[in-house]
DNA sequence: ACCATGCATAACAATCGAGTTATGTAACTC
DNA sequence: GAGTTACATAACTCGATTGTTATGCATGGT
């Protein structure tokens, strides 16, 4: 799986509150499928499906303990997602005036950035 | 839009390489719909749809310049996504042995973490 | 041996997502 | 005012997601 596809899978896996909650639970330590599903008003196969999505995204690994399939979080893909987001950090850490100034600088540097426009009523 | 729903929308918007590329382009400055679509082998309505997804996720804003609809990146939701990921940073920054030690500590602290198991042939 | 536990898998329904082509529309150009 | 540019919107296709119920299956307990 190359990096763009892995980012696809990672972000898609994170785009669901149930799966994010499952990861939050797993951050506290291993848990079985039953333990993971208990907080949710959802059938057990639905939980299994969410776990499969997380597994395919490489965000969890499943072990075996008798009938149990304890899950562990695997945070490496989160690091990649974080690395992608990092490239935009300056864009959200700046205040608005700074942003405008940056865009002006970029425009002055020959980038095809357009003039900031008047904001409509939205 | 409350925070979980906004995270849903943000992560879902990022789970597409076209939209990530559009954001990367917008990080360099404003661009029109045509400029944004030019790198992609895709119809113009498809690009408009991607832009609408980004707009609904609050990741871009659209202005108006005659017939053009220049788009600007709006990085605030990325900050929220980043904040969510940050809570897992220690999980991916640790080496494996450290992770095992942390889980053991958590287990010792009364958390229902299970014993690390023997890894199967996978 | 037999039943219970813990989970996966199959089959299905409903919704969503991403793309298409065709068409509508606002603003500029001449 | 007629055509062009730049984009949006509508209607559709099709595959992927997300949930369900029903069932299968390995393991452990008695």
């Amino acid at each position: 799986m190359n990096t763009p596809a892995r980012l696809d899978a990672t972000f898609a896996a994170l785009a669901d509150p149930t799966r994010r909650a499952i990861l939050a639970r797993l951050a506290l330590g291993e848990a079985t499928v039953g333990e993971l599903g208990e907080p949710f008003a959802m059938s057990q196969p639905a939980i299994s499906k969410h776990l499969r999505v997380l597994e395919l995204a490489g965000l969890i690994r499943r072990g075996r303990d008798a009938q149990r399939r304890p899950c562990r979080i695997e945070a490496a893909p989160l690091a990649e997602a974080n690395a992608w987001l990092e490239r935009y950090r300056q864009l959200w850490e700046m205040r608005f005036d700074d942003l405008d100034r940056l865009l002006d600088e970029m425009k002055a540097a020959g980038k095809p950035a357009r003039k900031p426009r008047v904001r409509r009523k939205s």
Side-chain angles (χ1 to χ4, degrees), chain A:
Chain A
M1 213 175 182
N2 49 13
T3 301
R6 202 156 36 214
L7 276 179
D8 288 3
T10 302
F11 282 130
L14 297 182
D16 182 289
T18 301
R19 287 192 292 260
R20 286 197 305 276
I22 287 175
L23 287 179
R25 168 65 184 80
L26 288 177
L28 303 177
E30 270 189 30
T32 67
V33 177
E35 288 165 354
L36 290 172
E38 184 265 339
F40 305 103
M42 200 179 298
S43 66
Q44 170 260 316
I47 299 295
S48 281
K49 283 192 173 188
H50 281 301
L51 292 177
R52 207 164 84 89
V53 172
L54 289 169
E55 187 177 31
L56 289 177
L59 285 164
I60 66 170
R61 270 174 186 272
R62 297 152 119 158
R64 175 166 288 238
D65 172 16
Q67 317 111 333
R68 324 267 160 75
R69 312 296 303 265
C71 299
R72 254 177 187 259
I73 196 170
E74 199 73 34
L78 295 182
E80 274 189 71
N82 183 75
W84 188 89
L85 282 177
E86 279 300 332
R87 293 162 37 211
Y88 300 87
R89 170 177 294 279
Q90 55 173 350
L91 289 180
W92 76 67
E93 278 189 345
M94 282 184 305
R95 290 180 313 108
F96 230 75
D97 297 345
D98 295 335
L99 177 60
D100 281 335
R101 197 164 41 72
L102 176 75
L103 290 177
D104 285 343
E105 283 167 9
M106 284 172 158
K107 192 183 55 172
K111 295 291 182 180
R114 285 175 184 282
K115 261 235 171 85
R117 303 244 104 242
V118 200
R119 200 90 53 188
R120 289 307 177 86
K121 56 186 170 185
S122 153

mmCIF file of all heavy atoms in Angstrom, chain A residues 61-96:
data_model
loop_
_atom_site.group_PDB
_atom_site.id
_atom_site.type_symbol
_atom_site.label_atom_id
_atom_site.label_comp_id
_atom_site.label_asym_id
_atom_site.label_seq_id
_atom_site.Cartn_x
_atom_site.Cartn_y
_atom_site.Cartn_z
ATOM 1 N N ARG A 61 -4.302 -4.439 15.319
ATOM 2 C CA ARG A 61 -3.895 -5.816 15.084
ATOM 3 C C ARG A 61 -4.718 -6.689 15.996
ATOM 4 O O ARG A 61 -5.039 -6.293 17.114
ATOM 5 C CB ARG A 61 -2.416 -6.009 15.451
ATOM 6 C CG ARG A 61 -1.445 -5.761 14.338
ATOM 7 C CD ARG A 61 -0.042 -5.856 14.893
ATOM 8 N NE ARG A 61 0.930 -5.482 13.881
ATOM 9 C CZ ARG A 61 1.459 -6.348 13.013
ATOM 10 N NH1 ARG A 61 1.127 -7.627 13.059
ATOM 11 N NH2 ARG A 61 2.329 -5.927 12.122
ATOM 12 N N ARG A 62 -5.031 -7.883 15.502
ATOM 13 C CA ARG A 62 -5.824 -8.784 16.323
ATOM 14 C C ARG A 62 -4.987 -9.975 16.716
ATOM 15 O O ARG A 62 -4.336 -10.597 15.880
ATOM 16 C CB ARG A 62 -7.046 -9.251 15.550
ATOM 17 C CG ARG A 62 -7.964 -8.104 15.218
ATOM 18 C CD ARG A 62 -8.719 -8.425 13.962
ATOM 19 N NE ARG A 62 -10.149 -8.454 14.228
ATOM 20 C CZ ARG A 62 -11.053 -8.298 13.285
ATOM 21 N NH1 ARG A 62 -10.690 -8.144 12.038
ATOM 22 N NH2 ARG A 62 -12.328 -8.319 13.579
ATOM 23 N N GLY A 63 -5.056 -10.311 17.987
ATOM 24 C CA GLY A 63 -4.362 -11.491 18.484
ATOM 25 C C GLY A 63 -5.354 -12.620 18.680
ATOM 26 O O GLY A 63 -6.418 -12.655 18.056
ATOM 27 N N ARG A 64 -5.001 -13.568 19.514
ATOM 28 C CA ARG A 64 -5.911 -14.675 19.807
ATOM 29 C C ARG A 64 -5.677 -15.113 21.237
ATOM 30 O O ARG A 64 -4.539 -15.267 21.675
ATOM 31 C CB ARG A 64 -5.684 -15.828 18.848
ATOM 32 C CG ARG A 64 -6.528 -17.048 19.188
ATOM 33 C CD ARG A 64 -6.538 -18.032 18.072
ATOM 34 N NE ARG A 64 -7.340 -17.537 16.963
ATOM 35 C CZ ARG A 64 -8.399 -18.195 16.482
ATOM 36 N NH1 ARG A 64 -8.763 -19.325 17.007
ATOM 37 N NH2 ARG A 64 -9.061 -17.703 15.470
ATOM 38 N N ASP A 65 -6.769 -15.293 21.950
ATOM 39 C CA ASP A 65 -6.706 -15.746 23.329
ATOM 40 C C ASP A 65 -7.934 -16.623 23.532
ATOM 41 O O ASP A 65 -8.997 -16.128 23.874
ATOM 42 C CB ASP A 65 -6.722 -14.534 24.277
ATOM 43 C CG ASP A 65 -6.851 -14.959 25.727
ATOM 44 O OD1 ASP A 65 -6.626 -16.148 26.013
ATOM 45 O OD2 ASP A 65 -7.197 -14.099 26.558
ATOM 46 N N ALA A 66 -7.762 -17.912 23.245
ATOM 47 C CA ALA A 66 -8.888 -18.853 23.304
ATOM 48 C C ALA A 66 -9.955 -18.398 22.320
ATOM 49 O O ALA A 66 -9.652 -18.183 21.159
ATOM 50 C CB ALA A 66 -9.428 -18.957 24.724
ATOM 51 N N GLN A 67 -11.191 -18.171 22.769
ATOM 52 C CA GLN A 67 -12.211 -17.692 21.828
ATOM 53 C C GLN A 67 -12.091 -16.200 21.579
ATOM 54 O O GLN A 67 -12.677 -15.682 20.642
ATOM 55 C CB GLN A 67 -13.623 -17.973 22.362
ATOM 56 C CG GLN A 67 -13.810 -19.327 22.975
ATOM 57 C CD GLN A 67 -14.016 -19.231 24.463
ATOM 58 O OE1 GLN A 67 -13.551 -18.281 25.086
ATOM 59 N NE2 GLN A 67 -14.677 -20.228 25.035
ATOM 60 N N ARG A 68 -11.381 -15.494 22.426
ATOM 61 C CA ARG A 68 -11.296 -14.036 22.315
ATOM 62 C C ARG A 68 -10.341 -13.635 21.206
ATOM 63 O O ARG A 68 -9.401 -14.345 20.890
ATOM 64 C CB ARG A 68 -10.791 -13.431 23.632
ATOM 65 C CG ARG A 68 -11.282 -14.149 24.863
ATOM 66 C CD ARG A 68 -12.542 -13.544 25.406
ATOM 67 N NE ARG A 68 -13.234 -14.523 26.280
ATOM 68 C CZ ARG A 68 -12.821 -14.836 27.522
ATOM 69 N NH1 ARG A 68 -11.768 -14.255 28.030
ATOM 70 N NH2 ARG A 68 -13.483 -15.713 28.240
ATOM 71 N N ARG A 69 -10.608 -12.485 20.616
ATOM 72 C CA ARG A 69 -9.693 -11.911 19.626
ATOM 73 C C ARG A 69 -9.258 -10.535 20.089
ATOM 74 O O ARG A 69 -9.774 -9.523 19.615
ATOM 75 C CB ARG A 69 -10.384 -11.805 18.266
ATOM 76 C CG ARG A 69 -11.094 -13.071 17.842
ATOM 77 C CD ARG A 69 -10.119 -14.219 17.627
ATOM 78 N NE ARG A 69 -9.105 -13.907 16.666
ATOM 79 C CZ ARG A 69 -9.187 -14.218 15.392
ATOM 80 N NH1 ARG A 69 -10.220 -14.866 14.939
ATOM 81 N NH2 ARG A 69 -8.222 -13.880 14.565
ATOM 82 N N PRO A 70 -8.362 -10.494 21.081
ATOM 83 C CA PRO A 70 -7.985 -9.192 21.648
ATOM 84 C C PRO A 70 -7.366 -8.290 20.589
ATOM 85 O O PRO A 70 -6.561 -8.723 19.779
ATOM 86 C CB PRO A 70 -6.957 -9.563 22.718
ATOM 87 C CG PRO A 70 -6.454 -10.903 22.321
ATOM 88 C CD PRO A 70 -7.588 -11.601 21.642
ATOM 89 N N CYS A 71 -7.767 -7.031 20.619
ATOM 90 C CA CYS A 71 -7.286 -6.047 19.649
ATOM 91 C C CYS A 71 -6.301 -5.101 20.317
ATOM 92 O O CYS A 71 -6.460 -4.730 21.478
ATOM 93 C CB CYS A 71 -8.459 -5.230 19.104
ATOM 94 S SG CYS A 71 -9.666 -6.224 18.248
ATOM 95 N N ARG A 72 -5.315 -4.722 19.534
ATOM 96 C CA ARG A 72 -4.312 -3.758 19.962
ATOM 97 C C ARG A 72 -4.301 -2.621 18.970
ATOM 98 O O ARG A 72 -4.413 -2.842 17.773
ATOM 99 C CB ARG A 72 -2.926 -4.403 19.917
ATOM 100 C CG ARG A 72 -2.333 -4.761 21.236
ATOM 101 C CD ARG A 72 -0.994 -5.450 20.969
ATOM 102 N NE ARG A 72 -0.455 -5.965 22.232
ATOM 103 C CZ ARG A 72 0.501 -5.343 22.905
ATOM 104 N NH1 ARG A 72 1.041 -4.240 22.438
ATOM 105 N NH2 ARG A 72 0.929 -5.837 24.048
ATOM 106 N N ILE A 73 -4.083 -1.437 19.459
ATOM 107 C CA ILE A 73 -3.951 -0.307 18.549
ATOM 108 C C ILE A 73 -2.578 -0.361 17.880
ATOM 109 O O ILE A 73 -1.614 -0.869 18.448
ATOM 110 C CB ILE A 73 -4.148 1.028 19.304
ATOM 111 C CG1 ILE A 73 -4.395 2.174 18.329
ATOM 112 C CG2 ILE A 73 -2.958 1.310 20.196
ATOM 113 C CD1 ILE A 73 -4.824 3.459 19.011
ATOM 114 N N GLU A 74 -2.527 0.123 16.659
ATOM 115 C CA GLU A 74 -1.263 0.185 15.894
ATOM 116 C C GLU A 74 -1.174 1.611 15.349
ATOM 117 O O GLU A 74 -1.831 1.959 14.372
ATOM 118 C CB GLU A 74 -1.322 -0.835 14.758
ATOM 119 C CG GLU A 74 0.000 -1.204 14.181
ATOM 120 C CD GLU A 74 0.818 -2.092 15.118
ATOM 121 O OE1 GLU A 74 0.222 -2.917 15.840
ATOM 122 O OE2 GLU A 74 2.043 -1.913 15.123
ATOM 123 N N ALA A 75 -0.411 2.433 15.999
ATOM 124 C CA ALA A 75 -0.525 3.876 15.779
ATOM 125 C C ALA A 75 0.267 4.399 14.597
ATOM 126 O O ALA A 75 0.144 5.569 14.244
ATOM 127 C CB ALA A 75 -0.129 4.628 17.049
ATOM 128 N N ALA A 76 1.050 3.554 13.948
ATOM 129 C CA ALA A 76 1.932 4.049 12.887
ATOM 130 C C ALA A 76 1.182 4.835 11.810
ATOM 131 O O ALA A 76 1.635 5.916 11.409
ATOM 132 C CB ALA A 76 2.701 2.879 12.274
ATOM 133 N N PRO A 77 0.037 4.346 11.316
ATOM 134 C CA PRO A 77 -0.655 5.133 10.284
ATOM 135 C C PRO A 77 -1.089 6.501 10.793
ATOM 136 O O PRO A 77 -1.172 7.453 10.006
ATOM 137 C CB PRO A 77 -1.870 4.269 9.937
ATOM 138 C CG PRO A 77 -1.491 2.883 10.332
ATOM 139 C CD PRO A 77 -0.623 3.041 11.541
ATOM 140 N N LEU A 78 -1.356 6.597 12.077
ATOM 141 C CA LEU A 78 -1.717 7.900 12.629
ATOM 142 C C LEU A 78 -0.554 8.875 12.494
ATOM 143 O O LEU A 78 -0.755 10.077 12.294
ATOM 144 C CB LEU A 78 -2.116 7.769 14.102
ATOM 145 C CG LEU A 78 -3.376 6.947 14.382
ATOM 146 C CD1 LEU A 78 -3.682 6.938 15.869
ATOM 147 C CD2 LEU A 78 -4.550 7.492 13.593
ATOM 148 N N ALA A 79 0.648 8.341 12.579
ATOM 149 C CA ALA A 79 1.819 9.205 12.418
ATOM 150 C C ALA A 79 1.861 9.767 11.001
ATOM 151 O O ALA A 79 2.188 10.947 10.803
ATOM 152 C CB ALA A 79 3.091 8.415 12.728
ATOM 153 N N GLU A 80 1.504 8.948 10.045
ATOM 154 C CA GLU A 80 1.498 9.441 8.663
ATOM 155 C C GLU A 80 0.429 10.513 8.460
ATOM 156 O O GLU A 80 0.680 11.534 7.809
ATOM 157 C CB GLU A 80 1.247 8.286 7.694
ATOM 158 C CG GLU A 80 2.513 7.555 7.302
ATOM 159 C CD GLU A 80 2.244 6.565 6.181
ATOM 160 O OE1 GLU A 80 2.005 6.996 5.047
ATOM 161 O OE2 GLU A 80 2.267 5.345 6.457
ATOM 162 N N ALA A 81 -0.740 10.256 9.006
ATOM 163 C CA ALA A 81 -1.809 11.253 8.916
ATOM 164 C C ALA A 81 -1.367 12.553 9.573
ATOM 165 O O ALA A 81 -1.581 13.648 9.046
ATOM 166 C CB ALA A 81 -3.081 10.721 9.569
ATOM 167 N N ASN A 82 -0.723 12.408 10.723
ATOM 168 C CA ASN A 82 -0.240 13.589 11.420
ATOM 169 C C ASN A 82 0.788 14.343 10.578
ATOM 170 O O ASN A 82 0.760 15.573 10.497
ATOM 171 C CB ASN A 82 0.377 13.169 12.759
ATOM 172 C CG ASN A 82 0.830 14.357 13.559
ATOM 173 O OD1 ASN A 82 0.033 15.073 14.125
ATOM 174 N ND2 ASN A 82 2.148 14.584 13.575
ATOM 175 N N ALA A 83 1.666 13.588 9.934
ATOM 176 C CA ALA A 83 2.686 14.227 9.107
ATOM 177 C C ALA A 83 2.034 15.011 7.976
ATOM 178 O O ALA A 83 2.481 16.110 7.619
ATOM 179 C CB ALA A 83 3.636 13.164 8.545
ATOM 180 N N TRP A 84 0.963 14.462 7.412
ATOM 181 C CA TRP A 84 0.271 15.180 6.344
ATOM 182 C C TRP A 84 -0.306 16.489 6.886
ATOM 183 O O TRP A 84 -0.156 17.550 6.282
ATOM 184 C CB TRP A 84 -0.833 14.304 5.739
ATOM 185 C CG TRP A 84 -1.428 14.930 4.528
ATOM 186 C CD1 TRP A 84 -1.008 14.786 3.243
ATOM 187 C CD2 TRP A 84 -2.544 15.835 4.487
ATOM 188 N NE1 TRP A 84 -1.791 15.537 2.406
ATOM 189 C CE2 TRP A 84 -2.733 16.196 3.135
ATOM 190 C CE3 TRP A 84 -3.383 16.362 5.459
ATOM 191 C CZ2 TRP A 84 -3.745 17.066 2.738
ATOM 192 C CZ3 TRP A 84 -4.379 17.232 5.065
ATOM 193 C CH2 TRP A 84 -4.548 17.571 3.720
ATOM 194 N N LEU A 85 -0.959 16.400 8.028
ATOM 195 C CA LEU A 85 -1.576 17.594 8.611
ATOM 196 C C LEU A 85 -0.533 18.643 8.973
ATOM 197 O O LEU A 85 -0.786 19.844 8.852
ATOM 198 C CB LEU A 85 -2.367 17.224 9.864
ATOM 199 C CG LEU A 85 -3.728 16.588 9.640
ATOM 200 C CD1 LEU A 85 -4.358 16.211 10.973
ATOM 201 C CD2 LEU A 85 -4.643 17.548 8.893
ATOM 202 N N GLU A 86 0.629 18.191 9.393
ATOM 203 C CA GLU A 86 1.665 19.120 9.848
ATOM 204 C C GLU A 86 1.995 20.157 8.787
ATOM 205 O O GLU A 86 2.337 21.287 9.093
ATOM 206 C CB GLU A 86 2.936 18.349 10.224
ATOM 207 C CG GLU A 86 2.909 17.723 11.603
ATOM 208 C CD GLU A 86 2.736 18.766 12.702
ATOM 209 O OE1 GLU A 86 3.147 19.926 12.513
ATOM 210 O OE2 GLU A 86 2.169 18.410 13.750
ATOM 211 N N ARG A 87 1.890 19.754 7.526
ATOM 212 C CA ARG A 87 2.266 20.673 6.465
ATOM 213 C C ARG A 87 1.321 21.867 6.401
ATOM 214 O O ARG A 87 1.573 22.823 5.673
ATOM 215 C CB ARG A 87 2.288 19.940 5.135
ATOM 216 C CG ARG A 87 3.402 18.888 5.089
ATOM 217 C CD ARG A 87 3.190 17.867 4.001
ATOM 218 N NE ARG A 87 2.616 18.439 2.801
ATOM 219 C CZ ARG A 87 1.812 17.792 1.959
ATOM 220 N NH1 ARG A 87 1.472 16.554 2.232
ATOM 221 N NH2 ARG A 87 1.352 18.382 0.887
ATOM 222 N N TYR A 88 0.214 21.810 7.120
ATOM 223 C CA TYR A 88 -0.750 22.907 7.108
ATOM 224 C C TYR A 88 -0.784 23.648 8.436
ATOM 225 O O TYR A 88 -1.577 24.565 8.609
ATOM 226 C CB TYR A 88 -2.144 22.373 6.756
ATOM 227 C CG TYR A 88 -2.158 21.714 5.409
ATOM 228 C CD1 TYR A 88 -1.829 20.374 5.270
ATOM 229 C CD2 TYR A 88 -2.450 22.449 4.262
ATOM 230 C CE1 TYR A 88 -1.799 19.776 4.018
ATOM 231 C CE2 TYR A 88 -2.432 21.860 3.018
ATOM 232 C CZ TYR A 88 -2.099 20.525 2.907
ATOM 233 O OH TYR A 88 -2.067 19.951 1.676
ATOM 234 N N ARG A 89 0.085 23.220 9.336
ATOM 235 C CA ARG A 89 0.031 23.782 10.685
ATOM 236 C C ARG A 89 0.134 25.302 10.673
ATOM 237 O O ARG A 89 -0.638 25.997 11.337
ATOM 238 C CB ARG A 89 1.155 23.188 11.545
ATOM 239 C CG ARG A 89 1.324 23.890 12.884
ATOM 240 C CD ARG A 89 2.378 23.221 13.707
ATOM 241 N NE ARG A 89 2.000 21.883 14.106
ATOM 242 C CZ ARG A 89 1.187 21.616 15.140
ATOM 243 N NH1 ARG A 89 0.682 22.610 15.838
ATOM 244 N NH2 ARG A 89 0.908 20.379 15.458
ATOM 245 N N GLN A 90 1.085 25.817 9.880
ATOM 246 C CA GLN A 90 1.258 27.270 9.891
ATOM 247 C C GLN A 90 -0.013 27.976 9.422
ATOM 248 O O GLN A 90 -0.295 29.093 9.816
ATOM 249 C CB GLN A 90 2.437 27.666 9.023
ATOM 250 C CG GLN A 90 2.343 27.138 7.606
ATOM 251 C CD GLN A 90 3.444 27.686 6.719
ATOM 252 O OE1 GLN A 90 4.163 28.588 7.122
ATOM 253 N NE2 GLN A 90 3.560 27.138 5.532
ATOM 254 N N LEU A 91 -0.786 27.300 8.599
ATOM 255 C CA LEU A 91 -1.998 27.939 8.066
ATOM 256 C C LEU A 91 -3.056 28.132 9.143
ATOM 257 O O LEU A 91 -3.869 29.041 9.061
ATOM 258 C CB LEU A 91 -2.581 27.112 6.921
ATOM 259 C CG LEU A 91 -1.765 27.120 5.636
ATOM 260 C CD1 LEU A 91 -2.454 26.270 4.576
ATOM 261 C CD2 LEU A 91 -1.592 28.540 5.124
ATOM 262 N N TRP A 92 -3.090 27.227 10.125
ATOM 263 C CA TRP A 92 -4.118 27.415 11.150
ATOM 264 C C TRP A 92 -3.559 28.081 12.405
ATOM 265 O O TRP A 92 -4.322 28.579 13.218
ATOM 266 C CB TRP A 92 -4.827 26.108 11.488
ATOM 267 C CG TRP A 92 -4.069 25.133 12.338
ATOM 268 C CD1 TRP A 92 -3.711 25.289 13.648
ATOM 269 C CD2 TRP A 92 -3.607 23.838 11.947
ATOM 270 N NE1 TRP A 92 -3.034 24.186 14.082
ATOM 271 C CE2 TRP A 92 -2.962 23.264 13.068
ATOM 272 C CE3 TRP A 92 -3.685 23.085 10.784
ATOM 273 C CZ2 TRP A 92 -2.393 22.004 13.043
ATOM 274 C CZ3 TRP A 92 -3.114 21.830 10.767
ATOM 275 C CH2 TRP A 92 -2.476 21.302 11.873
ATOM 276 N N GLU A 93 -2.251 28.107 12.515
ATOM 277 C CA GLU A 93 -1.696 28.738 13.723
ATOM 278 C C GLU A 93 -1.587 30.239 13.555
ATOM 279 O O GLU A 93 -1.469 30.959 14.536
ATOM 280 C CB GLU A 93 -0.326 28.138 14.038
ATOM 281 C CG GLU A 93 -0.440 26.829 14.791
ATOM 282 C CD GLU A 93 0.898 26.338 15.298
ATOM 283 O OE1 GLU A 93 1.923 26.854 14.829
ATOM 284 O OE2 GLU A 93 0.903 25.447 16.158
ATOM 285 N N MET A 94 -1.628 30.704 12.308
ATOM 286 C CA MET A 94 -1.520 32.145 12.090
ATOM 287 C C MET A 94 -2.859 32.823 12.344
ATOM 288 O O MET A 94 -3.908 32.253 12.092
ATOM 289 C CB MET A 94 -1.082 32.410 10.656
ATOM 290 C CG MET A 94 0.386 32.172 10.464
ATOM 291 S SD MET A 94 0.845 32.602 8.817
ATOM 292 C CE MET A 94 -0.285 31.590 7.912
ATOM 293 N N ARG A 95 -2.769 34.046 12.806
ATOM 294 C CA ARG A 95 -3.982 34.844 12.854
ATOM 295 C C ARG A 95 -4.304 35.316 11.445
ATOM 296 O O ARG A 95 -3.513 35.171 10.517
ATOM 297 C CB ARG A 95 -3.799 36.043 13.783
ATOM 298 C CG ARG A 95 -3.706 35.643 15.243
ATOM 299 C CD ARG A 95 -3.525 36.875 16.110
ATOM 300 N NE ARG A 95 -2.501 37.768 15.581
ATOM 301 C CZ ARG A 95 -2.783 38.936 15.016
ATOM 302 N NH1 ARG A 95 -4.028 39.343 14.890
ATOM 303 N NH2 ARG A 95 -1.799 39.701 14.585
ATOM 304 N N PHE A 96 -5.464 35.916 11.282
ATOM 305 C CA PHE A 96 -5.962 36.200 9.943
ATOM 306 C C PHE A 96 -5.094 37.177 9.173
ATOM 307 O O PHE A 96 -4.791 36.982 8.002
ATOM 308 C CB PHE A 96 -7.384 36.753 10.033
ATOM 309 C CG PHE A 96 -8.305 36.028 9.123
ATOM 310 C CD1 PHE A 96 -8.746 34.756 9.448
ATOM 311 C CD2 PHE A 96 -8.701 36.589 7.924
ATOM 312 C CE1 PHE A 96 -9.585 34.069 8.605
ATOM 313 C CE2 PHE A 96 -9.532 35.914 7.073
ATOM 314 C CZ PHE A 96 -9.976 34.648 7.415
#
